[in-house]
């Protein structure tokens, strides 16, 4: 015959075990990849841009700052360098005039991170972003009779969409971003060899770029 106090202790142990089980099950779940306030992401990226065809590399840091609806507003900054590729190299093959062009940019980012009906709950952190900052275009034109350099500075605006994919429960992720950017202005031109009369076309620069960036990153916090 079981003593009443022993039976009472068994009931208490059973209730305690049932209370602990949900916590244990929750601990085994993968952390949700959606950026939250306090999260900080650092990423290194490489991109190919259209209009003009160019190559780009850079680094971005982004932090979640404010919950909004089911997502999170974020602020970030990006430093990048863009090298004119086929858009410059192909014309150079058919002309005595050789043009090289590259740009430096520092861009602020206002983003919104979200999920789609929890379909990307376990792996993906999707986002849209508005871009705004400063770009410094640089060009060098060399021909048999002259050589000149151009330096400029202007505002750059853009927008983009992308996603971070977390392949495991670690802090590392892979991602992509498609973005459209626009900037225009005038060069300050310096003749370094020979003689040449600058035209309005030489002085004006335009950057209208549709690019796709691929990156690797880590969620620092």
């Amino acid at each position: 015959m079981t003593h009443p106090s022993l039976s009472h202790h068994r009931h208490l142990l059973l209730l305690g075990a049932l209370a602990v089980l949900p916590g244990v099950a929750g601990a085994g779940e993968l952390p949700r990849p959606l950026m939250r306030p306090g999260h900080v992401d650092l990423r290194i990226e490489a991109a190919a841009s259209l209009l003009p065809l160019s190559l780009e590399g850079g680094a971005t840091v982004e932090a979640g700052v404010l919950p909004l609806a089911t997502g999170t507003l974020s602020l970030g900054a990006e430093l990048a360098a863009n090298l004119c590729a086929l858009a410059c190299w192909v014309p150079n093959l058919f002309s005595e005039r050789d043009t090289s062009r590259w740009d430096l940019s520092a861009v602020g980012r206002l983003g919104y991170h979200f999920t789609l009906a929890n379909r990307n709950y376990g792996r993906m952190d999707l986002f849209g972003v508005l871009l705004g900052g400063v770009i410094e275009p640089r060009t060098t034109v060399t021909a048999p009779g002259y050589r000149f350099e151009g330096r400029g500075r202007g505002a750059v605006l853009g927008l983009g969409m992308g996603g971070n994919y977390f392949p495991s429960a670690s802090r590392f992720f892979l991602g992509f971003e498609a973005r459209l950017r626009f900037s225009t202005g005038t060069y300050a031109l310096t003749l370094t060899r020979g003689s040449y009369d600058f035209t309005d076309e030489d002085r004006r620069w335009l950057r209208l770029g549709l690019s796709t960036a691929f990156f690797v990153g880590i969620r620092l916090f």
Side-chain angles (χ1 to χ4, degrees):
M1 181 174 179
T2 305
H3 194 277
S5 62
L6 182 59
S7 177
H8 178 69
H9 285 304
R10 286 177 179 174
H11 286 140
L12 290 177
L13 289 173
L14 179 60
L15 290 175
L18 291 175
V20 170
L21 282 176
V24 173
E29 295 177 358
L30 291 176
R32 189 172 184 179
L34 176 65
M35 174 174 275
R36 294 296 188 184
H39 286 173
V40 177
D41 288 353
L42 175 65
R43 72 190 205 198
I44 304 297
E45 66 184 41
S49 176
L50 301 176
L51 301 174
L53 291 169
S54 59
L55 302 175
E56 185 172 326
T60 297
V61 62
E62 191 168 14
V65 294
L66 185 69
L68 180 63
T70 58
T72 304
L73 286 177
S74 66
L75 292 175
E78 173 188 330
L79 294 175
N82 183 288
L83 173 67
C84 180
L86 295 178
C88 291
W89 299 338
V90 172
N92 289 343
L93 296 176
F94 303 97
S95 173
E96 292 185 343
R97 175 168 162 151
D98 183 274
T99 301
S100 65
R101 188 170 65 231
W102 60 288
D103 309 326
L104 297 174
S105 60
V107 177
R109 301 167 59 91
L110 173 63
Y112 180 68
H113 293 251
F114 61 95
T115 61
L116 292 177
N118 287 335
R119 293 182 180 181
N120 58 319
Y121 181 96
R123 298 293 186 185
M124 290 293 296
D125 170 27
L126 300 177
F127 59 84
V129 63
L130 297 177
L131 307 169
V134 177
I135 186 172
E136 291 192 356
R138 305 184 179 191
T139 188
T140 301
V141 177
T142 304
Y146 60 87
R147 181 181 184 277
F148 65 84
E149 298 176 353
R151 300 290 184 270
R153 177 175 294 182
V156 57
L157 300 174
L159 52 87
M161 291 195 68
N164 302 321
Y165 174 71
F166 290 77
S168 68
S170 73
R171 296 176 179 270
F172 293 94
F173 59 86
L174 306 174
F176 71 95
E177 181 177 313
R179 56 198 176 205
L180 178 66
R181 290 175 296 186
F182 171 80
S183 183
T184 187
T186 56
Y187 285 119
L189 298 172
T190 302
L191 188 66
T192 59
R193 178 171 59 81
S195 60
Y196 181 78
D197 294 327
F198 297 123
T199 66
D200 290 339
E201 183 180 355
D202 295 326
R203 292 187 176 90
R204 174 67 59 179
W205 56 266
L206 171 67
R207 300 292 186 269
L208 176 60
L210 175 62
S211 64
T212 301
F214 297 92
F215 50 83
V216 293
I218 179 172
R219 180 153 290 170
L220 299 175
F221 307 105

